[in-house]
Amino acid sequence: MARNNVRLGDLLVKANKITRTQLNEVLEMQKVKKKKLGQLIVDEGILSEIEIIEVLKEQLGIDMVTLSAIDIDTRAVSLVSETLCKKYDIFPFYVEDGLIKVAVSDPLNIFAIDDVEINTGRRVKAYISTSDEIRNATDRYYSGRSVENAINEINKTVAVTSIKADDIDKMDDVKNAPTVKLVDSLLKNAVEQRASDIHIEPYEKFIRVRFRVDGVLNEISTLSIDVLSGIVTRIKILADLNIAERRVPQDGRIVTNINNKNVDMRVSILPLITGEKVVIRILDRSNYKVGRERLGMSKEDLGKLDDIISAPHGIILVTGPTGSGKSTTLYTVLSELNDNEKNIVTVEDPVEYSLEGINQINVNSKVGLTFASGLRSILRQDPDIVMIGEMRDSETAEIGIRAAITGHLVLSTLHTNDAPSSVMRLVDMGVEPFMVATALKGVIAQRLVRRICPHCKEAIPADVAERRLLGVSENEEAVHYKGKGCAACNHTGYAGRMGVYEIMNIDRDLKDLILKTSNSDEVKDLAIKKGMKTLAMSAKELVLSGQTTIEEMMKIIFADNL
């Protein structure tokens, strides 16, 4: 308990990490900014959080813990309330007999240790961790518990009486209604697990709830079918949809704030024979960043991208299936092209993220604002650069191509399997080959693959079949990598996703070939001779460099028809 008199500033000065003068300056700032001393030192760039932790470890003899790399004991989590964790920036991760192990960002806060000991009746052993680690663990584990508690509460309610849809918005205390708590907990949990989509699927006797994380659907829970109408009604109320209409599909939007993050959710409701299915697409605006580092392109691919976007006019296409990261690529290109000398206008369905300095239009088919009509209006606004969310029809494609020919730089997306297929797709949409050859400057085809978890990554010698897949001869040594599964990756072996790219720069030879033929195989063969790496080639490179697995590569190879 002698640590109660120890002060962080004195420890840092004693360890020669900061000077007494620096400490006094930060202490003066603290009087005005009302922040913790350690946070101010980090904010001012004097020391990093890790450097402060290293000093505390050395001076106080306290071990450090990386919460994302260990298995969390959920019994410990159940003993300490979420309120207490957030109050003191702590997280319980292990319990045995009369001891509970707790990660703390400030080991000098004796009140935090005392409160945990009083609330749990156990002796506390403190470990140092970063605020980010503690916050992420708290969000992840307590949101999961809130879903479990809401499910238990709703199951008790169902045991007494079925919840009717018409009752949800008439309850005296809506926020405390079990169905409302469950929906709110599901939305919060999905955001904290970095889910891109929530699926609520009705079957004959139960409801299945799944989250899509890193492109893969995972089952979260099952619910009684009796609560379906209440859940759907609550979501309809949040999305401002017609709660009385259950026969036709409905689309809506929920804009909310979760854990101080602005979150935009797109709601789609589809009537099935077993009830209404709900899919919610999550757009976390606060976490959205554009930039080359987010794309994950190789230096070679970045060079090709620079060549394409340096064109003063013409059309640049980004292709791939839904959820392949096309929007991220487009927004990154737009942000790089954005400056005070250019007028940039976009027409999107919907506008996913707002970019400062760029004029963005949301498609609204109910009032006749389509891609085609919006594009016509944009061209009367003296634009330098135009972005069309998607070329869905021949009218939009033709207007976009004509705009590119008449001196505008046009960016858009298509749904094709690879870059060369885009040529055939435009011709199939009714655009003349000579216009395609004249306007097209480059095509970027892309996919997303899961990245191997760095915490549990291990090397595996490649067998004969794997060598053949990777294009490695029998005489060469070859290994590939895989994640064993750990707490950091939720035992999946993967952590996050990365892009795989196929970039086709349209030079004079390719233009001449497009004028003669729209056969995508011929265009592909010539593009490869000109240095284009196919999606399959790029995926193989990622496997050999240890960034993704053979299983993820196989998805690309089959899609690339190789």
Side-chain angles (χ1 to χ4, degrees), residues 478-491:
V479 294
H480 62 97
Y481 298 83
K482 197 170 186 178
K484 291 187 292 186
C486 64
C489 60
N490 202 21
H491 300 283

Side-chain angles (χ1 to χ4, degrees), residues 162-173:
S162 179
I163 299 172
K164 296 178 181 178
D166 297 336
D167 294 337
I168 279 290
D169 58 338
K170 297 177 183 177
M171 294 181 178
D172 293 333
D173 191 354

Side-chain angles (χ1 to χ4, degrees), residues 180-226:
V180 173
K181 283 184 179 179
L182 175 60
V183 172
D184 291 348
S185 296
L186 282 174
L187 298 181
K188 185 172 183 281
N189 195 25
V191 170
E192 289 166 351
Q193 288 198 29
R194 300 179 298 102
S196 60
D197 301 87
I198 304 171
H199 289 243
I200 300 172
E201 305 162 315
Y203 294 91
E204 189 175 346
K205 296 181 180 178
F206 65 94
I207 305 165
R208 180 171 65 172
V209 180
R210 296 192 289 174
F211 292 169
R212 188 180 294 279
V213 180
D214 292 338
V216 178
L217 281 170
N218 302 299
E219 185 172 310
I220 300 302
S221 61
T222 58
L223 304 167
S224 167
I225 193 65
D226 294 328

Side-chain angles (χ1 to χ4, degrees), residues 58 142 172 229 325 347 402 457 503 560:
E58 225 175 279
Y142 283 98
D172 293 333
S229 58
V347 53
R402 288 189 183 278
K457 179 177 173 181
I503 303 178
D560 204 31

Side-chain angles (χ1 to χ4, degrees), residues 16 40 60-61 143 170 207 238 267 336 347 397 419 432 450 458 488 503 510 518 520 535 545 557:
N16 294 319
L40 271 176
L60 302 177
S143 65
K170 297 177 183 177
I207 305 165
L238 291 173
V267 179
E336 292 208 356
V347 53
E432 293 292 337
R450 289 184 290 174
E458 62 176 355
I503 303 178
L510 278 167
S518 60
S520 60
L535 288 165
S545 64
I557 288 180

Side-chain angles (χ1 to χ4, degrees), residues 280-297:
I280 303 174
R281 167 62 58 89
I282 301 171
L283 305 173
D284 186 350
R285 295 180 183 273
S286 66
N287 276 349
Y288 189 77
K289 298 176 182 176
V290 293
R292 293 184 168 225
E293 67 284 349
R294 181 153 176 104
L295 295 179
M297 285 185 179

